[in-house]
Amino acid sequence: MDVEASYRAHLPDLLHFATVLVGPHDAADVVNEAVTATLRRGSLSGVVDPRAYWFRAVSNTAASWHRSRFRRTRREHAWASSTAGVTGLTPTPDAARTILAGLSVQQRTALYLTYWLDWPVDRVAQAMGATEGTVKQHLARGRAHLKEMLSDER
């Protein structure tokens, strides 16, 4: 398998996927970190579907990125709240970002692969390293959360 050709072939889709998970500013970093980590482990000779393998790696890297970002954001909000009385300013989160942030990375991954890439549940399960039942659960919970948040916004 020509790893470089495979990477170049799948890069646009990986970048788009990462953009959905972490936003446009950090997508390239997440993809590069994920692909580099998979290549550090060795060749892809035993990998049946490199695309699904890299989608899973991007999803895992995005989850790690979100954990770090969550801790940083929590510190920033605590600082902003403590200074709000002094400055008279209070942070106002963007509604769409708030709604999407309410979904877990697994829910966003399942929704993206299912609805944006039109992958069947079995392929999504393979990419996520989960069972089909788990993917269906992530889809159901993600849709329910989106429906609830969108009805609250109205």
Side-chain angles (χ1 to χ4, degrees):
M1 170 193 316
D2 184 3
V3 175
E4 184 177 350
S6 180
Y7 171 73
R8 289 186 190 279
H10 301 305
L11 181 59
D13 291 335
L14 292 170
L15 284 170
H16 192 266
F17 178 52
T19 300
V20 169
L21 297 178
V22 299
H25 301 293
D26 298 302
D29 290 338
V30 167
V31 170
N32 287 334
E33 185 178 330
V35 171
T36 301
T38 61
L39 295 178
R40 265 195 309 263
R41 292 184 193 106
S43 75
L44 300 178
S45 59
V47 175
V48 177
D49 185 355
R51 177 183 167 104
Y53 184 72
W54 278 331
F55 266 88
R56 182 176 180 187
V58 167
S59 178
N60 291 340
T61 303
S64 176
W65 182 90
H66 275 290
R67 284 188 297 273
S68 296
R69 183 176 174 112
F70 175 74
R71 287 189 293 269
R72 184 179 67 244
T73 302
R74 189 174 50 199
R75 286 191 308 269
E76 290 171 354
H77 281 272
W79 179 83
S81 295
S82 69
T83 60
V86 175
T87 63
L89 301 173
T90 54
T92 57
D94 176 46
R97 191 174 269 175
T98 301
I99 290 170
L100 291 174
L103 297 175
S104 71
V105 171
Q106 293 83 2
Q107 290 170 351
R108 271 184 272 170
T109 299
L111 289 166
Y112 175 84
L113 295 176
T114 301
Y115 295 110
W116 190 264
L117 295 183
D118 201 28
W119 283 10
V121 171
D122 62 332
R123 188 166 184 196
V124 174
Q126 180 186 9
M128 292 180 67
T131 65
E132 291 183 29
T134 300
V135 170
K136 290 177 183 178
Q137 186 178 44
H138 288 311
L139 288 168
R141 288 181 179 169
R143 285 189 303 257
H145 184 76
L146 288 173
K147 183 178 179 180
E148 177 184 323
M149 293 300 290
L150 291 172
S151 67
D152 289 347
E153 289 295 315
R154 290 184 193 148

